[in-house]
Amino acid sequence: MRHVPTHGFSMRALTEGAKESGYLEVSVQLLPRGVFDLINYHLVTQRLALKDRVQFPKDSKLGAGEKVRTLTLERLRANQDIIHQWQGALGQMSLLGNIPASLKELHILSDEIWYLSGDTSVDTSWYTKRASLAALYASSELFMTADASKDFAATAEFVDRRLEDFQKVGKTVGGLGQFVGFWAGNTIHLARSWGMRV
Amino acid sequence: MPQRGMQTAPDQKKPLAQLSQDQREFLDRALRVNQAGELAATLIYTAQTPPLLQSHPNLRSLMKHMYDQEAGHFATFNKLLAKHRVRPTAMYPVWKAAASILGWSTGVMGREASMACTEAVETEIGNHYNGQVRELFRWMQEIKSRGEEVDPELEELINTLKRIRDEELEHLDHAVENDAKQAQPYAPLTNVIRYGCRGAIWISERV
């Protein structure tokens, strides 16, 4: 990984790294997916490092949304050393053979962030939360590759705007559900008060 | 997935048993199905109760007792799923709708039909839990025969499942006492419900 900032996610970085660790250049052939394995290594280690990088105190008054924001930004920040090479990595990840593994990693990351923010819901929202966070993270990461602002402040604002959007959508959908449920319940109760055996 | 590592229990010499990948997947599926089942049970009772109590107000306390126990089971499985990071079934909204419709229609059909529905569901569920308890018990025997220590969480799970199975069978007995067998299209009604339950269990294990 040390060679990635200079050589990008490429075979060159892999071979330089192998040489440095005292292995033969040809030993990189042991990695079945070549460069993708290097990218995957970065993804997995940064995901696992999240719980060490962000520790919420036990009596933290932060809401779940706040925690999700903190965790997402922290994970994005973990990319900053190699962000100038990340567009190449995204290209690699979108190669047909690599797509399933990349999507799986994205889903696992989304699950990890929700878990670390203390989410314990196990109904349909389990799916919607993870899907929306995955979309949010993917778009923010892409935005970050072109972000030249100081300390990636523009990316942080982007994340905030997306989170607001999701909250709005969530409220609308929830409101619609409540509306339909209310009228359905109303109809049944009215029928019962008329003596219908419903 | 629960991360069970090889550890030596503090003041004992036997190492703590680690579950294999297959066993973890089994537990994953089992907990997912159980949560879906309890969701369905609570919704069936919720939907059955109002039409049933209109014609048989004397069943109020029985329905409340059964509902409270199912709600307790549901809460237990929700906690287990969150703790072990198990994915809930994607069919959640489908089961919600199906269970409500089943409860409402058997409630409207009358007391015997409602009780027959309970009898059918609890028979399937009782078998289902029994199968899980047997399987986990077999794991425990294997672990002991290998000379390893059984994880206390596993023992607790087995005891929880046994308790829940017994409560479900108790509901089965209540249903039969309340003339479940007198329900009029008895065979078709119970068969449809039982096969429906088996199908739902099969799907929830996978989806």
Side-chain angles (χ1 to χ4, degrees):
Chain A
M1 279 306 295
R2 267 198 301 279
H3 298 274
V4 171
T6 358
H7 300 295
F9 285 94
S10 63
M11 285 310 281
R12 182 78 190 276
L14 279 173
T15 45
E16 294 287 326
K19 277 202 298 229
E20 207 178 75
S21 317
Y23 295 112
L24 295 172
E25 264 184 43
V26 76
S27 55
V28 298
Q29 304 290 344
L30 283 171
L31 298 168
R33 295 178 296 192
V35 179
F36 183 72
D37 275 329
L38 184 59
I39 299 171
N40 202 37
Y41 174 80
H42 172 75
L43 291 175
V44 172
T45 45
Q46 290 307 334
R47 166 171 57 87
L48 294 173
L50 250 188
K51 67 176 184 302
D52 297 320
R53 289 169 70 130
V54 181
Q55 308 253 344
F56 296 113
K58 275 239 176 332
D59 55 351
S60 158
K61 300 254 186 334
L62 292 174
E66 273 296 316
K67 289 187 184 171
V68 166
R69 181 181 175 279
T70 311
L71 285 160
T72 312
L73 285 174
E74 192 51 45
R75 175 61 187 83
L76 284 168
R77 261 189 268 278
N79 279 347
Q80 59 190 23
D81 291 335
I82 45 103
I83 195 67
H84 50 288
Q85 303 287 7
W86 195 243
Q87 275 191 348
L90 287 173
Q92 276 285 330
M93 292 200 299
S94 55
L95 290 177
L96 211 50
N98 293 333
I99 289 180
S102 312
L103 287 177
K104 184 155 183 270
E105 244 321 297
L106 182 59
H107 164 76
I108 299 178
L109 175 66
S110 183
D111 182 47
E112 181 82 11
I113 293 183
W114 276 114
Y115 175 70
L116 289 173
S117 66
D119 178 50
T120 50
S121 65
V122 278
D123 52 12
T124 322
S125 70
W126 190 95
Y127 288 91
T128 53
K129 281 177 183 168
R130 279 152 185 76
S132 57
L133 184 59
L136 187 153
Y137 179 79
S139 56
S140 305
E141 212 180 43
L142 196 54
F143 182 89
M144 195 171 156
T145 58
D147 185 10
S149 62
K150 187 169 183 311
D151 213 22
F152 297 107
T155 306
E157 279 169 28
F158 182 85
V159 168
D160 284 336
R161 280 199 303 272
R162 293 286 80 72
L163 278 172
E164 250 183 66
D165 283 346
F166 280 125
Q167 282 185 339
K168 272 193 219 136
V169 170
K171 278 202 191 101
T172 314
V173 171
L176 191 64
Q178 268 190 345
F179 179 78
V180 170
F182 174 73
W183 280 107
N186 236 18
T187 317
I188 295 189
H189 291 147
L190 191 60
R192 284 181 188 152
S193 72
W194 285 341
M196 280 167 60
R197 303 195 143 254
V198 175
Chain B
M1 296 276 209
Q3 299 297 319
R4 292 187 162 88
M6 274 294 217
Q7 319 153 10
T8 317
D11 48 9
Q12 281 151 320
K13 303 244 172 50
K14 294 190 269 187
L16 204 54
Q18 199 178 19
L19 291 184
S20 71
Q21 183 62 17
D22 281 340
Q23 287 174 324
R24 288 193 201 161
E25 280 173 20
F26 177 86
L27 278 178
D28 211 50
R29 281 197 305 267
L31 288 174
R32 175 159 50 250
V33 174
N34 294 352
Q35 189 229 18
E38 298 302 341
L39 167 71
T42 44
L43 286 172
I44 290 177
Y45 285 130
T46 310
Q48 263 183 359
T49 308
L52 195 56
L53 291 188
Q54 271 191 344
S55 36
H56 298 273
N58 56 311
L59 291 175
R60 184 182 298 273
S61 60
L62 174 65
M63 294 305 284
K64 180 165 195 324
H65 167 73
M66 296 204 291
Y67 175 80
D68 287 341
Q69 285 188 318
E70 299 294 359
H73 301 168
F74 190 44
T76 306
F77 286 121
N78 281 345
K79 278 202 209 83
L80 280 173
L81 254 73
K83 178 177 176 202
H84 294 289
R85 300 177 69 173
V86 177
R87 170 180 73 81
T89 172
M91 301 287 287
Y92 204 92
V94 176
W95 297 149
K96 269 174 95 164
S100 306
I101 292 174
L102 176 64
W104 178 81
S105 38
T106 47
V108 163
M109 279 165 71
R111 181 181 73 116
E112 290 81 13
S114 306
M115 292 300 154
C117 169
T118 303
E119 183 203 342
V121 172
E122 299 297 4
T123 311
E124 283 307 313
I125 297 285
N127 282 338
H128 170 72
Y129 280 132
N130 217 22
Q132 288 182 350
V133 170
R134 261 206 303 270
E135 179 70 14
L136 293 185
F137 202 71
R138 196 171 60 78
W139 294 358
M140 232 174 50
Q141 303 289 67
E142 262 173 32
I143 290 173
K144 286 193 184 145
S145 72
R146 287 203 301 261
E148 288 171 340
E149 192 64 32
V150 177
D151 194 320
E153 264 185 332
L154 185 61
E155 288 203 48
E156 201 192 315
L157 181 61
I158 294 182
N159 289 334
T160 307
L161 288 178
K162 275 198 217 163
R163 172 179 63 85
I164 294 183
R165 176 202 58 192
D166 293 341
E167 286 172 6
E168 302 292 0
L169 292 175
E170 183 204 317
H171 294 179
L172 174 59
D173 292 337
H174 284 311
V176 172
E177 274 166 30
N178 275 282
D179 300 333
K181 305 265 187 210
Q182 315 290 353
Q184 253 334 288
Y186 181 75
L189 186 63
T190 30
N191 282 336
V192 164
I193 295 177
R194 286 182 68 172
Y195 284 113
C197 280
R198 280 185 215 164
I201 288 175
W202 189 89
I203 295 176
S204 301
E205 276 173 356
R206 287 156 183 78
V207 175

